[in-house]
Amino acid sequence: MEGAELAGKILSTWLTLVLGFILLPSVFGVSLGISEIYMKILVKTLEWATIRIEKGAPKESTLKNSASVGIIQRDESPMEKGLSGLRGRDFELSDVFYFSKKGLEAIVEDEVTQRFSSEELVSWNLLTRTNVNFHYISLRLTMVWVLGVIVRYCVLLPLRVTLAFIGISLLVIGTTLVGQLPDSSLKNWLSELVHLTCCRICVRALSGTIHYHNKQYRPQKGGICVANHTSPIDVLILTTDGCYAMVGQVHGGLMGIIQRAMVKACPHVWFERSEMKDRHLVTKRLKEHIADKKKLPILIFPEGTCINNTSVMMFKKGSFEIGGTIHPVAIKYNPQFGDAFWNSSKYNMVSYLLRMMTSWAIVCDVWYMPPMTREEGEDAVQFANRVKSAIAIQGGLTELPWDGGLKRAKVKDTFKEEQQKNYSKMIVGNGSLN
Amino acid sequence: MGVAHSHSASEEVRELEGKTGFSSYQIEQLHRRFKQLSGDQPTIRKESFNNVPDLELNPIRSRIVRAFFDHRNLRKGPSGLAEEINFEDFLTIMSYFRPIDTTMGEEQVAQSRKEKLRFLFHMYDADSDGRITLEEYRNVVEDLLSGNPHIEKESAGSIAKGAMMEAASVCLGQMEPDQVYEGITFEDFLKILKGIDIESKMHICFLNMETMALCH
């Protein structure tokens, strides 16, 4: 009996604390500064750890350069120069040199597949999962690491799971309740309040620290918000600062429940799996949505898949054909505190969320950018590339022309033929032989 | 190489350093890449190279991949292909593309040149008979031109024939009317490519930690 009473008391104190310190402030969008203190302590600890590692590391260690420097320095000269720049001349035995060199460069270091695995850290952040290159340094460091493990798994994890649970249930209940009201400005205001509160709770469930830059460019109603994609948490990060209408497939299970609840409170655009294949239908529904200036801006991730936040891959042109104003947003995570990238081939959703909740924190920067529209004479693909460059520059990411779909599919044959066409043009000068 | 640097691992690295000429930093980087390609297995097979999108664009992709498994390049025999290769073999192939160290003696430099050219010779000489025949030459040209729909099949053949004639004239001087040129041997290959600047065309700048780049 005593045990049960004690457990009950602990639980109720726990819940009151959570309520007082986290939930109520979330409703009002106020921060009590607890997470700031946590972050300060964390930063100091990691700095100390880095200094210890650097002191203790042997001379030949690869710590400093392994993340930023590649294996080779690629020769970026174009094909013509590489083949010794003679035009329209005969095929030479040595041409094979150029292609074998290029082939080997690709084998040693290819730009694409490294984007589908987590970014490597320059210095260890005391998480086991990032411990790729780092050796045992000292007892003190190991003690700190053990302490870190205890703190993360025994203190932070239960707290975060509780918060996440509360957040999601509040979201579902809140939106269902709000959905009962007739359409009015009160309903919109309430639905915004519910969305924002629950998102803030969920962000705290991940110990998220988000810096928003250039808030004056926040996406307006009737526009389309476009961002680079690293993980499902991107959605959470953006919706904490403003409400968006989401676009996506209807899922089953927990996601499905959340989706159905959300759509009652404010209009999101959910598609059935079969409808997703019909591009015209998708475009039509999105056009209708943005035509209504009172509806919330649509949130789209044109890459189509999760990339590891070091680069921006090809933006699919579908989102840019709808018209309307595009509001680009760049999201950059700080990998030192926790790796936000979802490697869907390695982890499923649940293990991914667990990893998120046992990292130190999720720290990221969000840059809102000035709106862009399609110019005269620009087609959707060029527009998409323009927006992509802008986002890459703002976020400090590299830009790649490759399709994120290469994660699962092979290179299209049309791409391959381009290269061969170029070469053969050089040799035979557009169809005539010498 | 893992979290704990065991004694035997660094011995292996030193051995590889000696055999292939790469520094320990480069060997570790390449080992990481090897593990990525092999999916953490100790060996890689031809299929492991399918995941390199950059390589797909290369017209002689299959020849390059085959070169990795070629016994002649791996110094394991006069002909034939291996089923799979381990990290040491991987490094052996990579070492063909190391920049030529001009501080070495002239004989060493000539030897390196010869090794690189032999690697390329093997790429042409698919049946390992020591000669590049007209057929083999034509196959390479076809591979390189295959993407262009404007070129007819015969063009590859005529380019190849023209090149063989040129090779014959360089190697044998004036030919008798009924003399048949059997094919380019390795010595002929060296003669034809005497003037080519191998140093710039066939090396990859492997980065080194201290100096940032091991070539100019």
Side-chain angles (χ1 to χ4, degrees), chain A residues 35-249:
Chain A
S35 23
E36 272 91 27
I37 300 174
Y38 169 64
M39 290 304 294
K40 281 211 187 94
I41 300 177
L42 193 58
V43 167
K44 284 253 153 50
T45 320
L46 288 178
E47 270 174 20
W48 174 83
T50 315
I51 296 177
R52 301 284 320 179
I53 294 175
E54 278 176 15
K55 268 202 215 149
K59 272 287 164 89
E60 318 92 51
S61 87
T62 61
L63 282 175
K64 289 216 176 58
N65 289 317
S66 57
S68 40
V69 171
I71 306 180
I72 56 176
Q73 187 176 329
R74 292 191 107 147
D75 182 4
E76 299 289 351
S77 56
M79 201 194 307
E80 286 82 12
K81 186 149 168 274
L83 291 167
S84 77
L86 297 166
R87 284 288 163 93
R89 83 280 180 279
D90 296 344
F91 176 79
E92 269 194 49
L93 276 175
S94 55
D95 287 346
V96 177
F97 290 22
Y98 173 79
F99 287 111
S100 30
K101 173 168 122 166
K102 283 273 154 216
L104 234 92
E105 277 179 354
I107 290 178
V108 172
E109 188 172 63
D110 96 272
E111 300 180 304
V112 178
T113 43
Q114 70 187 59
R115 310 296 169 181
F116 296 133
S117 58
S118 299
E119 187 183 354
E120 277 184 33
L121 291 175
V122 180
S123 76
W124 191 34
N125 64 351
L126 295 176
L127 291 177
T128 332
R129 61 194 68 145
T130 48
N131 192 357
V132 173
N133 285 333
F134 306 101
H135 341 138
Y136 174 81
I137 303 287
S138 73
L139 184 63
R140 255 201 270 177
L141 198 64
T142 317
M143 291 299 296
V144 172
W145 173 71
V146 169
L147 186 65
V149 169
I150 297 176
V151 166
R152 280 184 296 123
Y153 279 84
C154 305
V155 175
L156 292 179
L157 182 60
L159 173 65
R160 288 172 179 172
V161 171
T162 325
L163 281 179
F165 189 65
I166 296 178
I168 296 181
S169 354
L170 264 184
L171 181 67
V172 173
I173 299 173
T175 45
T176 319
L177 284 177
V178 172
Q180 308 302 323
L181 297 173
D183 275 336
S184 64
S185 51
L186 177 67
K187 178 179 181 188
N188 291 340
W189 182 79
L190 273 178
S191 111
E192 250 193 65
L193 184 67
V194 169
H195 272 106
L196 285 176
T197 312
C198 298
C199 285
R200 286 191 199 122
I201 297 177
C202 288
V203 163
R204 279 164 214 241
L206 296 169
S207 292
T209 309
I210 311 172
H211 299 286
Y212 296 98
H213 306 263
N214 303 336
K215 279 199 182 182
Q216 69 269 24
Y217 294 127
R218 209 192 304 183
Q220 305 297 321
K221 296 201 170 148
I224 303 178
C225 175
V226 153
N228 58 317
H229 199 29
T230 308
S231 91
I233 297 184
D234 291 343
V235 173
L236 203 60
I237 292 189
L238 288 177
T239 43
T240 317
D241 196 41
C243 281
Y244 296 90
M246 323 242 181
V247 177
Q249 259 182 30

Side-chain angles (χ1 to χ4, degrees), chain A residues 73 93 99 107-108 120 424, chain B residues 32-33 58 124 148 205 207:
Chain A
Q73 187 176 329
L93 276 175
F99 287 111
I107 290 178
V108 172
E120 277 184 33
S424 38
Chain B
R32 219 141 5 113
R33 178 60 176 167
N58 201 307
Y124 276 94
N148 193 333
C205 257
L207 295 172

Side-chain angles (χ1 to χ4, degrees), chain A residues 59-66 69-75 82-84 90-114 117 120 131-136 402 406 410-412 415-417 419-425 427-428 431 433, chain B residues 2-5 24-25 28-30 32-33 36-37 49-60 64 68 90 93-94 97 117 119-120 123-124 132 137 140-141 143-149 151 155 158-159 163 166 184 189 192-193 196 198 200-207 209 212-213:
Chain A
K59 272 287 164 89
E60 318 92 51
S61 87
T62 61
L63 282 175
K64 289 216 176 58
N65 289 317
S66 57
V69 171
I71 306 180
I72 56 176
Q73 187 176 329
R74 292 191 107 147
D75 182 4
L83 291 167
S84 77
D90 296 344
F91 176 79
E92 269 194 49
L93 276 175
S94 55
D95 287 346
V96 177
F97 290 22
Y98 173 79
F99 287 111
S100 30
K101 173 168 122 166
K102 283 273 154 216
L104 234 92
E105 277 179 354
I107 290 178
V108 172
E109 188 172 63
D110 96 272
E111 300 180 304
V112 178
T113 43
Q114 70 187 59
S117 58
E120 277 184 33
N131 192 357
V132 173
N133 285 333
F134 306 101
H135 341 138
Y136 174 81
W402 295 93
L406 284 175
K410 304 206 74 176
V411 179
K412 285 203 208 131
F415 264 42
K416 289 196 238 184
E417 284 160 11
Q419 179 94 332
Q420 290 165 324
K421 276 197 198 132
N422 281 343
Y423 177 72
S424 38
K425 268 204 201 115
I427 297 201
V428 295
L433 275 181
Chain B
V3 175
H5 237 77
S24 61
Y25 172 75
E28 277 193 43
Q29 294 282 62
L30 286 169
R32 219 141 5 113
R33 178 60 176 167
Q36 218 181 30
L37 284 173
F49 291 106
N50 287 347
N51 297 328
V52 184
D54 266 347
L55 191 59
E56 292 289 313
L57 296 187
N58 201 307
I60 50 168
I64 296 177
F68 271 82
F90 185 74
I93 304 285
M94 286 287 159
F97 282 81
L117 286 169
F119 184 81
L120 282 149
M123 246 195 234
Y124 276 94
I132 305 178
Y137 200 101
V140 178
V141 178
D143 275 344
L144 285 165
L145 299 180
S146 47
N148 193 333
I151 303 217
S155 330
S158 22
I159 294 179
E166 202 182 308
I184 308 178
F189 193 74
I192 299 170
L193 293 176
I196 298 284
I198 285 276
S200 65
K201 285 206 179 181
M202 197 178 151
H203 75 264
I204 297 181
C205 257
F206 286 97
L207 295 172
M209 193 168 71
M212 273 325 238

Side-chain angles (χ1 to χ4, degrees), chain B:
Chain B
M1 299 288 194
V3 175
H5 237 77
S6 61
H7 205 58
S8 61
S10 35
E11 263 180 39
E12 268 174 44
V13 171
R14 258 184 274 281
E15 215 185 292
L16 289 171
E17 263 184 273
K19 274 196 199 159
T20 59
F22 285 114
S23 74
S24 61
Y25 172 75
Q26 291 165 341
I27 291 181
E28 277 193 43
Q29 294 282 62
L30 286 169
H31 188 79
R32 219 141 5 113
R33 178 60 176 167
F34 179 82
K35 276 205 286 203
Q36 218 181 30
L37 284 173
S38 71
D40 286 330
Q41 305 290 320
T43 57
I44 45 179
R45 313 173 140 264
K46 290 222 189 96
E47 295 77 45
S48 320
F49 291 106
N50 287 347
N51 297 328
V52 184
D54 266 347
L55 191 59
E56 292 289 313
L57 296 187
N58 201 307
I60 50 168
R61 179 193 172 280
S62 46
R63 281 176 198 268
I64 296 177
V65 173
R66 197 147 36 114
F68 271 82
F69 296 87
D70 193 329
H71 275 158
R72 297 171 290 174
N73 293 334
L74 297 171
R75 301 190 186 125
K76 285 192 178 158
S79 67
L81 291 176
E83 280 284 319
E84 47 187 23
I85 54 175
N86 60 19
F87 181 55
E88 192 179 321
D89 299 328
F90 185 74
L91 279 185
T92 313
I93 304 285
M94 286 287 159
S95 62
Y96 285 108
F97 282 81
R98 286 188 61 243
I100 294 186
D101 190 358
T102 42
T103 61
M104 297 193 294
E106 218 181 276
E107 205 186 288
Q108 290 258 34
V109 171
Q111 182 64 14
S112 302
R113 248 184 86 93
K114 218 168 156 188
E115 287 299 313
K116 289 185 192 252
L117 286 169
R118 203 192 297 270
F119 184 81
L120 282 149
F121 184 78
H122 292 158
M123 246 195 234
Y124 276 94
D125 182 19
D127 61 5
S128 318
D129 62 356
R131 287 180 174 283
I132 305 178
T133 59
L134 177 62
E135 173 116 9
E136 287 169 339
Y137 200 101
R138 202 187 59 231
N139 285 339
V140 178
V141 178
E142 265 172 17
D143 275 344
L144 285 165
L145 299 180
S146 47
N148 193 333
H150 296 296
I151 303 217
E152 305 114 16
K153 281 285 177 179
E154 298 85 51
S155 330
S158 22
I159 294 179
K161 244 195 240 163
M164 293 297 275
M165 299 279 287
E166 202 182 308
S169 62
V170 167
C171 310
L172 299 178
Q174 271 294 28
M175 285 218 310
E176 304 299 315
D178 53 353
Q179 193 180 8
V180 171
Y181 184 51
E182 279 157 49
I184 308 178
T185 61
F186 186 53
E187 283 67 36
D188 300 339
F189 193 74
L190 287 177
K191 250 192 257 177
I192 299 170
L193 293 176
K194 211 177 194 153
I196 298 284
D197 180 18
I198 285 276
E199 284 75 25
S200 65
K201 285 206 179 181
M202 197 178 151
H203 75 264
I204 297 181
C205 257
F206 286 97
L207 295 172
N208 206 1
M209 193 168 71
E210 292 91 26
T211 59
M212 273 325 238
L214 204 53
C215 56
H216 9 271

